[in-house]
Amino acid sequence: METKKLDRLITKLLNPNYTFKNIKGAPFKISDKVLVLDNPNNDNSFNNEFVGKKGHVFYFEYDCGCGQTFPSDPLIGVKFINKKVGEYWKEEIQLLD
């Protein structure tokens, strides 16, 4: 990998670009109550710490280089009652009433 590309990737990882506002076309809204599903995509990077737990959509992340697309497919930051945050794809969480 070229040094410039590596530098950009490191910068993105160290300085995430979170969006804390609603985005037209995003799969959820900020503050939506959601449930974390049990790794429906069989993704090796899935964070199973919060499977079966409820939280609230806290932010959207479109720029970390994980294949996100704007606006419909961000990584979604979900904040839980213990103040911890996990990141999930839209298929990995379910909207609750």
Side-chain angles (χ1 to χ4, degrees):
M1 180 178 282
E2 293 178 21
T3 304
K4 287 181 183 180
K5 287 183 182 179
L6 186 57
D7 284 344
R8 280 194 303 263
L9 180 60
I10 290 169
T11 299
K12 284 182 181 183
L13 291 174
L14 296 177
N15 301 306
N17 187 17
Y18 300 143
T19 301
F20 295 95
K21 62 180 182 171
N22 288 326
I23 300 291
K24 185 176 181 178
F28 297 93
K29 292 181 181 173
I30 299 298
S31 297
D32 275 350
K33 188 174 182 180
V34 295
L35 173 71
V36 177
L37 304 176
D38 190 7
N39 197 6
N41 296 332
N42 293 315
D43 182 349
N44 291 336
S45 65
F46 180 79
N47 179 358
N48 63 4
E49 179 180 0
F50 300 108
V51 168
K53 304 285 187 207
K54 297 173 187 174
H56 290 89
V57 173
F58 187 47
Y59 62 78
F60 302 117
E61 208 294 304
Y62 291 98
D63 295 323
C64 79
C66 295
Q68 305 96 313
T69 56
F70 184 87
S72 63
D73 198 20
L75 272 177
I76 301 164
V78 177
K79 191 172 192 176
F80 299 91
I81 196 164
N82 63 3
K83 307 290 188 214
K84 288 186 176 182
V85 176
E87 289 188 338
Y88 298 94
W89 296 106
K90 62 186 173 188
E91 300 86 9
E92 298 172 338
I93 57 178
Q94 176 183 339
L95 183 63
L96 298 174
D97 294 329

